[in-house]
């Protein structure tokens, strides 16, 4: 029976389901472009040669740039985590998202016909042929509804399910090699977390539910806008939402400090409030996932929150640990910090390991522990944010490790670093201590549990298996 043939007695097979033939093609596609570069870099590391240079980094970017799908998404994730790759690699890989070329009109017609039927164009007032934006898993087109409302239509690239499975298997191999070369961190939980989140990102019905969740969370905050889902024009691989007009965050770097502070304060609320009250975060810190719009009256500048594929939902106990660790660092209480780490799932915690973990924790929490108006990190460039601290921690963990970070840390750290980078780009100066304490002053894990359950049920967010 062929790969595309339906099982006996069943309806038509999903032609884009996870299929062996597509996975084999993907193994060859990714391996041909990346394998030689990875082998050369690994060999240099194993034989004690100098770190890979900028030319190797550019070659890797070129090899990945034409590959849509999760391997590019993983590269973007890795680029945002300090000390996970050499600085040259991080600089090149961080540019991948904006460099992704869109697919042409033949693909668009096939995707739209497959999701909405042969008369799909009649369901829109207009539909632009050229993509307005393109990323690793899909591209966005501008359109209008039959009533004339501006729309953003997100189309998933073909065969992404097979690509995810193939790329995650290759990532598993890369991580296994990494564990042999560098025993500081056991990456098994990191791989599991990345895999789970990537599979979620392929489900646009889940992303639509995430958008409903955030719309409900910020229903009473006029500073933060969430696109509205057009349910009748949305499927598992097609997401239609309202188009939110706004300007890139980076275009505000030369605005007066008061305006930049207003934007940064709204960004702080958009990230920390859902986490502290509902246990969820917007986990993709790429600057293209936010835009700025002018407010009215006393509202100041508003934020458009875009792209809800990577939303991380945490158990209330993890959120409680974040608050508890903050209190421990505030009072310099090592035992309280150890309890917070154990609550998250860290094991075999020695005094040296606790002190090492606290170095990174103090870096993450530093702006919130300092009760004054300040920048996130004076004199540090956004691309270097956290790298010095991460290098020191990583070096110490090589002596104490291996440490297995709980899977929740992958996107918690990634998002926290990304948010700090936004503040650095804006040159914002705020009392982060005051802002943070306002979000946690009434924290109660039991109430968060009930609030989270009610919100997820209302938004119809699928529960994890």
């Amino acid at each position: 029976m062929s790969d595309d043939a339906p099982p006996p007695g069943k309806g038509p097979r999903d032609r884009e389901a996870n299929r062996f033939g597509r996975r084999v093609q993907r193994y060859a596609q990714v391996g041909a472009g990346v394998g030689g570069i990875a082998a050369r870099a690994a060999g240099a590391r194993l034989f004690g040669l100098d770190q890979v240079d900028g030319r190797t980094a550019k070659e890797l970017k070129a090899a990945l740039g034409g590959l849509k799908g999760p391997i590019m998404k993983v590269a973007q994730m890795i680029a945002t985590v300090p000390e996970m790759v050499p600085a040259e690699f991080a600089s090149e890989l961080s540019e991948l998202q904006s460099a992704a070329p869109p697919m042409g009109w033949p693909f668009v017609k096939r995707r739209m016909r497959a999701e909405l039927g042969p008369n799909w164009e009649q369901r829109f007032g207009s539909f632009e042929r050229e993509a307005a934006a393109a990323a690793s898993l899909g591209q966005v087109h501008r359109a209008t509804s039959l009533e004339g409302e501006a729309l953003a239509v997100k189309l998933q690239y073909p065969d992404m399910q097979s690509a995810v499975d193939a790329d995650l298997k290759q990532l598993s191999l890369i991580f296994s090699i990494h564990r042999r070369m560098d025993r500081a961190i056991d990456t098994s939980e990191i791989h599991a977390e990345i895999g789970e989140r990537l599979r979620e990102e392929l489900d646009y019905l889940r992303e639509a539910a995430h958008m409903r969740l955030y719309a409900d969370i910020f229903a009473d905050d006029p500073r933060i806008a969430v696109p509205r889902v057009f349910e009748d024009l949305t499927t598992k691989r097609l997401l239609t939402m309202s188009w939110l007009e706004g300007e890139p965050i980076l275009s505000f770097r030369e605005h007066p400090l008061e305006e930049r502070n207003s934007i940064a304060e709204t960004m702080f609320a958009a990230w920390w409030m859902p986490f502290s009250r509902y246990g969820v975060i917007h986990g993709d810190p790429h600057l293209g996932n936010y835009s700025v719009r002018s407010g009215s009256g006393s509202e100041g500048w508003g934020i458009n929150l875009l792209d809800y594929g990577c939303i991380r939902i945490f158990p209330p106990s993890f959120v409680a640990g974040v608050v508890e660790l903050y209190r421990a660092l505030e009072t310099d209480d090592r035992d309280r910090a150890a309890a917070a780490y154990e609550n998250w799932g860290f094991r075999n915690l020695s005094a040296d390991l606790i002190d090492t973990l606290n170095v990174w924790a103090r870096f993450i929490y530093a702006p919130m522990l300092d009760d004054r108006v300040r920048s996130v990190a004076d004199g540090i460039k956004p691309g270097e944010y956290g790298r010095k601290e991460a290098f020191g921690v990583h070096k110490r963990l090589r002596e104490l490790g291996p440490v297995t970070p709980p899977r929740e840390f992958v996107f918690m750290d990634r998002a926290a670093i990304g948010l700090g980078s936004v503040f650095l780009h804006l040159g914002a100066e705020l009392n982060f201590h005051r802002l943070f304490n306002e979000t946690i002053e009434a924290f109660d894990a039991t109430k968060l549990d009930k609030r989270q359950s009610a919100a997820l049920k209302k938004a119809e967010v699928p529960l994890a298996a």
Side-chain angles (χ1 to χ4, degrees):
M1 185 168 62
S2 74
D3 221 13
D4 290 328
K10 300 292 185 181
R13 180 182 292 274
D14 181 354
R15 295 183 61 85
E16 293 189 51
N18 191 351
R19 295 186 290 146
F20 176 74
R22 293 297 188 189
R23 294 199 302 274
V24 170
Q25 291 178 13
R26 184 68 177 184
Y27 294 143
Q29 186 183 27
V30 174
V34 180
I37 298 169
R40 189 162 70 249
R45 180 77 174 271
L46 285 170
F47 291 106
L49 303 178
D50 290 339
Q51 287 255 0
V52 290
D53 58 19
R55 189 184 70 137
T56 307
K58 290 182 184 298
E59 289 176 355
L60 182 59
K61 176 188 170 185
L64 292 174
L67 293 175
K68 294 178 172 59
I71 196 71
M72 196 169 90
K73 193 79 175 180
V74 169
Q76 294 160 7
M77 292 177 185
I78 290 173
T80 64
V81 180
E83 198 52 28
M84 201 163 187
V85 293
E88 294 91 347
F89 272 35
S91 176
E92 293 294 334
L93 296 182
S94 65
E95 298 177 8
L96 275 172
Q97 185 149 345
S98 60
M103 295 189 72
W105 184 242
F107 154 72
V108 175
K109 289 192 296 183
R110 287 195 302 271
R111 168 62 71 219
M112 297 301 292
R113 186 184 300 116
E115 305 305 318
L116 297 181
N119 298 320
W120 66 269
E121 286 184 280
Q122 297 176 17
R123 302 179 68 174
F124 296 89
S126 64
F127 191 101
E128 293 189 5
R129 291 192 169 210
E130 299 296 324
S136 52
L137 304 180
Q139 63 192 48
V140 176
H141 289 253
R142 296 192 69 147
T144 60
S145 69
L146 293 175
E147 292 73 31
E149 184 172 355
L151 303 177
V153 185
K154 182 177 177 181
L155 292 70
Q156 188 174 123
Y157 295 134
D159 298 313
M160 284 295 100
Q161 284 182 270
S162 299
V164 161
D165 189 72
D167 288 5
L168 286 174
K169 279 184 169 57
Q170 299 215 45
L171 180 64
S172 179
L173 175 62
I174 292 169
F175 276 172
S176 68
I177 294 172
H178 179 273
R179 284 194 293 272
R180 290 179 175 85
M181 293 193 300
D182 188 342
R183 290 181 52 80
I185 297 175
D186 183 339
T187 55
S188 55
E189 286 295 300
I190 295 175
H191 178 267
E193 175 71 6
I194 290 175
E196 193 169 321
R197 299 285 81 76
L198 279 174
R199 290 187 174 98
E200 285 183 355
E201 284 203 56
L202 293 180
D203 186 352
Y204 286 1
L205 293 175
R206 172 182 282 274
E207 183 170 352
H210 289 160
M211 292 169 67
R212 292 192 296 268
L213 172 65
Y214 265 71
D216 187 45
I217 289 174
F218 290 115
D220 297 324
D221 192 334
R223 299 173 301 169
I224 300 165
V226 177
R228 178 168 65 90
V229 179
F230 283 69
E231 308 285 353
D232 61 332
L233 298 173
T234 294
T235 69
K236 188 175 181 179
R237 299 188 181 103
L238 174 70
L239 177 58
T240 303
M241 68 204 101
S242 56
W243 182 281
L244 299 182
E245 292 290 351
E247 299 296 326
I249 282 184
L250 292 183
S251 67
F252 286 80
R253 284 185 293 185
E254 303 302 322
H255 279 229
L257 179 61
E258 182 180 0
E259 295 181 7
R260 288 182 276 124
N261 284 345
S262 174
I263 295 168
E265 187 167 337
T266 301
M267 282 292 300
F268 191 97
W271 199 87
W272 277 108
M273 198 279 277
F275 179 76
S276 64
R277 290 186 58 79
Y278 295 88
V280 298
I281 62 168
H282 193 276
D284 193 339
H286 188 267
L287 289 168
N289 287 340
Y290 315 107
S291 63
V292 181
R293 70 185 195 287
S294 60
S296 60
S298 60
E299 293 176 13
W301 295 95
I303 292 290
N304 297 322
L305 278 182
L306 311 171
D307 198 323
Y308 292 78
C310 187
I311 298 296
R312 201 358 167 140
I313 301 169
F314 296 96
S317 59
F318 181 84
V319 184
V322 171
V323 176
E324 186 67 9
L325 182 56
Y326 173 77
R327 298 301 184 200
L329 296 174
E330 198 175 33
T331 56
D332 200 22
D333 188 333
R334 179 195 277 173
D335 291 339
R336 197 171 181 179
Y341 292 131
E342 288 175 346
N343 186 43
W344 286 336
F346 282 99
R347 297 291 178 261
N348 303 318
L349 287 169
S350 65
D352 283 345
L353 181 54
I354 293 169
D355 290 341
T356 300
L357 294 174
N358 279 348
V359 170
W360 182 247
R362 286 190 179 280
F363 161 71
I364 293 292
Y365 284 106
M368 282 86 84
L369 290 167
D370 195 5
D371 188 7
R372 64 183 176 90
V373 173
R374 52 165 286 174
S375 66
V376 168
D378 293 331
I380 296 179
K381 297 178 181 178
E384 298 172 1
Y385 183 56
R387 291 198 174 275
K388 178 182 178 182
E389 291 79 5
F391 178 80
V393 169
H394 194 88
K395 183 178 179 181
R396 184 63 175 144
L397 288 180
R398 286 178 185 169
E399 303 168 8
L400 301 172
V403 173
T404 305
R407 60 172 56 193
E408 290 88 350
F409 275 84
V410 177
F411 288 91
M412 183 72 186
D413 263 14
R414 177 183 181 231
I417 291 293
L419 186 67
S421 179
V422 171
F423 297 148
L424 285 175
H425 278 295
L426 288 172
E429 298 178 6
L430 297 169
N431 188 321
F432 296 99
H433 173 85
R434 176 184 61 79
L435 293 173
F436 183 68
N437 277 272
E438 286 175 356
T439 68
I440 66 170
E441 61 182 353
F443 178 79
D444 184 304
T446 302
K447 291 181 179 178
L448 184 151
D449 192 10
K450 293 179 180 178
R451 192 183 301 119
Q452 182 189 76
S453 296
L456 295 178
K457 182 178 180 179
K458 180 179 178 181
E460 300 179 340
V461 176
L463 300 178

